[in-house]
Amino acid sequence: MIKSINPYNQQVVFETKELTKKETEAAIDAAHQRFLSWRKTSYSERSKLMQAAAAELKKNKQEYAETMTLEMGKPIAQSIAEIEKCAWVCEYYAAHAESHLADETIKTDAAASYVSYEPLGVVLAVMPWNYPFWQVFRFAAPALMAGNIGILKHASNVMQSAINIQKVFERAGFPKACFTNLPLSSSKIEAIIKNPKVKAVTLTGSKPAGSAVASTAGSEIKKSVLELGGSNALVVFEDCNLEETLKTAVQARFQNTGQSCIAGKRLILHKNIAEAFTENYVKAVRELKSGDPMDENTYIGVMARPDLAEELEEQLKNSVKAGAQVLIGGKRNNAYFEPTVVTGVTPEMSLFKEETFGPVIGITTFETEEEAVDLVNKSDFGLGVSIFTEDMERAKKLVPLFDDGAVFVNELVKSDPRLPFGGTKISGYGRELSADGIQEFVNRKTVYFNKY
């Protein structure tokens, strides 16, 4: 049995039986059979169904959000916002998929030549628990609109949410087996990727998980897209808008109780404002409301599992042992971890060089632009960076110097259906969202007509 345990009170809230090998193969067979007909549907037909999925998400957002909160501890207000964002991505691709995949005419010596974008078939999504709906929908909406079929291996602690996602598509009227949830343990992923009816795989998760999936996909010569986390920097220059930067920097680190790949995890401050900024930052963090995730006023809930909180605690202890100082927080109670701000963090410390997946942020200072860029790029991760400055010429000059997949100026790094999302280095490869995302899992077919 696969169980979901409420991290707030440690009660089992849901359990389901894992599929057998025979049941899994039957589900994949059904998905492949559905592809043979689904690929022939029009964009208009797909769009109507995807709009219906958006409407279903909006109509029953409370139901879906509450399950998410019970399973992994996300504050309920943030869970509802996540469901609403999923409706947005459905609406976006319902409106834009056809234009994103329109034939591209290329003038050559031929009578006619162009590139067409055609679906691959059944695509496996291996997804994490931190955004149980959003991570899946940002894959599923473009995949289905492109004419592909989705099968989902979700994180074991959010299996009811996984079932609910399949329910969204069923309630919206999608044909059976267009999107299928597979209740399975991680040990079964390799066999699914090797199934000849599965044509590609996308994974959001840890570096070890990504490495394993990419290795298997590579051995089968199958396409893979990986989004593997990050250690985003928040670089604050002395000419920033102090009030707005403070608000953004707090949200960037502590939303979703800090459990986000694109969270700002390294606060890098110019030395001339470091003391004042830190004082105000600590004050703002102190005012964040912790409590029951089902309370709509709660901003900091619990981490998704006690072992994750323990891992974060160990990273903090190692950094303190190396010379960092805790300014606020630092204590853990089961899956609850206090919002924590740490100063004196250097590049050799765990809080700087490792991904910290929870409500802890380390502060490092710099003097020059060159030093700031060097500190950002010292990370093995390359998902995104935020810089805060009123000098737009400086910002434009610095953007090309960062190794990351995204640079946000005076804003936290966030995903938007209209923009490509993905990283560099050990943050992964490939892109999700926008035209780039929907074109990841298609056959770019060269077509050439000649006349004799």
Side-chain angles (χ1 to χ4, degrees), residues 173-249:
F174 277 80
K176 187 177 181 181
C178 269
F179 186 91
T180 305
N181 170 55
L182 304 176
L184 295 168
S185 62
S186 297
S187 62
K188 307 300 192 302
I189 294 174
E190 181 177 357
I192 297 175
I193 297 172
K194 288 184 175 181
N195 188 306
K197 291 176 181 174
V198 174
K199 303 304 181 183
V201 58
T202 181
L203 175 140
T204 299
S206 67
K207 179 179 177 289
S211 180
V213 163
S215 177
T216 302
S219 71
E220 298 294 311
I221 320 298
K222 293 182 180 181
K223 177 70 179 287
S224 62
V225 169
L226 304 180
E227 199 277 276
L228 304 180
S231 186
N232 291 8
L234 303 164
V235 183
V236 183
F237 289 93
E238 57 185 327
D239 68 335
C240 73
N241 180 317
L242 186 62
E243 183 179 352
E244 292 300 320
T245 300
L246 276 167
K247 288 194 295 186
T248 301

Side-chain angles (χ1 to χ4, degrees), residues 195-361:
N195 188 306
K197 291 176 181 174
V198 174
K199 303 304 181 183
V201 58
T202 181
L203 175 140
T204 299
S206 67
K207 179 179 177 289
S211 180
V213 163
S215 177
T216 302
S219 71
E220 298 294 311
I221 320 298
K222 293 182 180 181
K223 177 70 179 287
S224 62
V225 169
L226 304 180
E227 199 277 276
L228 304 180
S231 186
N232 291 8
L234 303 164
V235 183
V236 183
F237 289 93
E238 57 185 327
D239 68 335
C240 73
N241 180 317
L242 186 62
E243 183 179 352
E244 292 300 320
T245 300
L246 276 167
K247 288 194 295 186
T248 301
V250 170
Q251 182 187 3
R253 171 67 279 197
F254 294 102
Q255 66 177 343
N256 200 32
T257 315
Q259 299 168 116
S260 172
C261 56
I262 53 174
K265 294 163 185 157
R266 298 177 293 147
L267 184 54
I268 299 176
L269 305 177
H270 192 279
K271 68 168 189 175
N272 292 347
I273 61 164
E275 185 175 347
F277 192 94
T278 299
E279 181 180 341
N280 284 285
Y281 194 81
V282 169
K283 180 180 178 182
V285 172
R286 184 176 286 116
E287 294 173 355
L288 297 176
K289 185 182 186 306
S290 297
D292 185 347
M294 290 298 284
D295 183 340
E296 63 180 15
N297 295 312
T298 293
Y299 190 82
I300 299 291
V302 289
M303 294 182 64
R305 301 193 310 265
D307 64 297
L308 299 170
E310 291 168 3
E311 182 179 328
L312 183 63
E313 184 178 42
E314 190 64 25
Q315 290 174 305
L316 176 61
K317 286 180 177 178
N318 289 340
S319 297
V320 169
K321 190 181 298 183
Q325 301 92 43
V326 176
L327 299 180
I328 185 175
K331 294 186 177 63
R332 179 186 67 83
N333 180 14
N334 208 347
Y336 173 71
F337 205 106
E338 290 180 329
T340 302
V341 180
V342 184
T343 191
V345 174
T346 63
E348 299 76 28
M349 295 180 183
S350 296
L351 292 184
F352 189 100
K353 65 182 182 180
E354 300 171 7
E355 181 174 26
T356 50
F357 218 68
V360 175
I361 192 164

Side-chain angles (χ1 to χ4, degrees), residues 86-148:
C86 292
W88 179 23
V89 79
C90 290
E91 291 168 342
Y92 174 82
Y93 280 109
H96 298 285
E98 185 172 8
S99 62
H100 287 336
L101 298 177
D103 291 349
E104 179 187 355
T105 300
I106 300 174
K107 188 172 178 58
T108 67
D109 296 335
S113 51
Y114 60 92
V115 176
S116 64
Y117 300 89
E118 300 176 2
L120 295 179
V122 179
V123 183
L124 168 66
V126 182
M127 291 291 137
W129 47 262
N130 59 328
Y131 287 90
F133 263 64
W134 172 244
Q135 307 279 21
V136 177
F137 271 88
R138 74 184 191 192
F139 150 74
L144 290 172
M145 284 302 302
N148 291 309

